[in-house]
């Protein structure tokens, strides 16, 4: 389920009609999502030949072009959930680092699922920008398939004065809540260090293309 959510997110993050952005506008949540996505996906398309030879290049694209606009620390703390008071500062920092790299690998793998889908961003005046949370809504159109409604949840950081994506909701199901349900209990049972090591192992996996998957 989590991988399907991420794949849908990558489709949206990669199919904006906004021109290549010179600088991402982090003061506006809608512009931030669309502009950062455009930069990442243009790099993805421009380096297709190299990526086919070395799919792990996708990790570099995600890390450089998308990760700066993801509030992975806030998301990590939400995943730790009620276990947070029982962890040390060092444990939390190591978990955040592992979760960040896990997201990089997951998004990079999802980039291999792109197949010319169409996307529309919906500016329906949802959340008030004066609040700390905004919703960037979009809809994926693919021939012969049902439309997919996606909402990116974006949070305003008072310290930096900038917005960052912390969750994606696909057809009413929260990706963050799904990961929290999966990992919070595991942290409680086996400890945060165990889960951190699990995430490190998963984040170290190589990216495989569709061709490689078929060959396997």
């Amino acid at each position: 389920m989590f991988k399907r959510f991420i794949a849908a997110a990558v489709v949206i993050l990669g199919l904006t009609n906004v021109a290549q952005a010179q600088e991402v506008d982090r003061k506006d949540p809608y512009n931030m999502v669309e502009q950062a996505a455009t930069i990442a996906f243009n790099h993805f398309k421009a380096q297709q030949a190299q990526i086919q030879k070395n799919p792990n290049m996708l990790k570099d694209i995600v890390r450089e072009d998308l990760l700066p606009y993801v509030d992975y620390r806030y998301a990590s703390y939400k995943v730790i959930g009620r276990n947070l008071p029982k962890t040390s500062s060092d444990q939390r920092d190591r978990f955040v680092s592992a979760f960040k790299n896990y997201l990089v690998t997951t998004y990079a793998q999802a980039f291999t699922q792109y197949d010319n889908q169409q996307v529309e961003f919906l500016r329906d005046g949802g959340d008030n920008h004066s609040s700390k949370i905004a919703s960037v809504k979009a809809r994926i159109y693919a021939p012969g398939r049902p439309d997919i409604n996606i909402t990116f949840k974006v949070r305003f950081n008072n310290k930096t004065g900038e917005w960052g994506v912390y969750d994606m909701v696909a057809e009413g199901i929260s990706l963050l809540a799904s990961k929290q349900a999966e990992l919070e209990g595991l942290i409680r049972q086996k400890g945060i260090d165990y889960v951190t090591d699990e995430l490190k192992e998963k984040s170290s996996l190589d990216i495989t293309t569709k061709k490689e998957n078929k060959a396997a």
Side-chain angles (χ1 to χ4, degrees):
M1 180 72 73
F2 179 65
K3 290 182 178 179
R4 181 171 67 85
F5 286 172
I6 290 291
V10 166
V11 169
I12 286 182
L13 289 177
L15 287 171
T16 65
N17 293 320
V18 180
Q20 177 85 27
Q22 287 80 26
E23 184 176 346
V24 174
D25 178 13
R26 297 201 65 171
K27 303 299 182 182
D28 181 279
Y30 300 98
N31 290 340
M32 183 195 70
V33 172
E34 295 186 53
Q35 291 171 357
T38 300
I39 292 173
F41 210 75
N42 283 348
H43 286 170
F44 168 65
K45 290 188 290 186
Q47 299 180 41
Q48 273 299 291
Q50 298 95 313
I51 290 170
Q52 289 301 317
K53 295 177 182 178
N54 179 19
N56 282 324
M57 286 182 63
L58 288 170
K59 290 187 180 184
D60 296 331
I61 293 175
V62 171
R63 187 174 289 109
E64 294 170 11
D65 295 341
L66 294 180
L67 196 62
Y69 312 105
V70 176
D71 193 345
Y72 52 82
R73 178 170 291 275
Y74 180 75
S76 297
Y77 281 16
K78 294 288 283 184
V79 168
I80 296 172
R82 290 169 291 182
N83 301 296
L84 199 63
K86 301 177 183 178
T87 61
S88 68
S89 175
D90 180 62
Q91 285 178 316
R92 291 193 293 272
D93 285 345
R94 286 190 282 112
F95 181 88
V96 169
S97 177
F99 191 73
K100 174 185 68 176
N101 291 326
Y102 170 68
L103 288 178
V104 167
T105 298
T106 307
Y107 270 99
Q109 184 60 55
F111 257 115
T112 66
Q113 303 301 311
Y114 168 63
D115 192 24
N116 295 314
Q117 294 92 337
Q118 299 296 316
V119 67
E120 176 187 9
F121 278 86
L122 310 172
R123 291 187 179 238
D124 59 1
D127 293 309
N128 191 326
H129 284 186
S130 64
S131 69
K132 294 183 179 180
I133 301 295
S135 299
V136 181
K137 299 181 180 180
R139 184 173 295 131
I140 299 174
Y141 302 94
R145 303 176 190 174
D147 296 342
I148 301 176
N149 294 305
I150 304 290
T151 299
F152 289 96
K153 303 298 290 185
V154 193
R155 174 178 174 266
F156 184 76
N157 188 319
N158 285 325
K159 293 182 179 180
T160 64
E162 297 176 334
W163 293 85
V165 176
Y166 72 91
D167 190 18
M168 183 189 74
V169 181
E171 297 296 340
I173 302 175
S174 164
L175 179 154
L176 183 60
S178 297
K179 294 313 295 179
Q180 185 180 34
E182 176 186 342
L183 297 179
E184 186 181 14
L186 193 59
I187 292 172
R188 185 172 60 253
Q189 294 170 12
K190 298 196 173 183
I192 192 170
D193 294 330
Y194 173 88
V195 176
T196 297
D197 289 339
E198 288 283 299
L199 291 176
K200 285 182 178 179
E201 183 176 344
K202 291 179 180 179
S203 66
S204 68
L205 296 175
D206 288 331
I207 304 303
T208 57
T209 63
K210 286 191 266 190
K211 285 184 179 180
E212 290 175 319
N213 291 333
K214 288 180 180 179

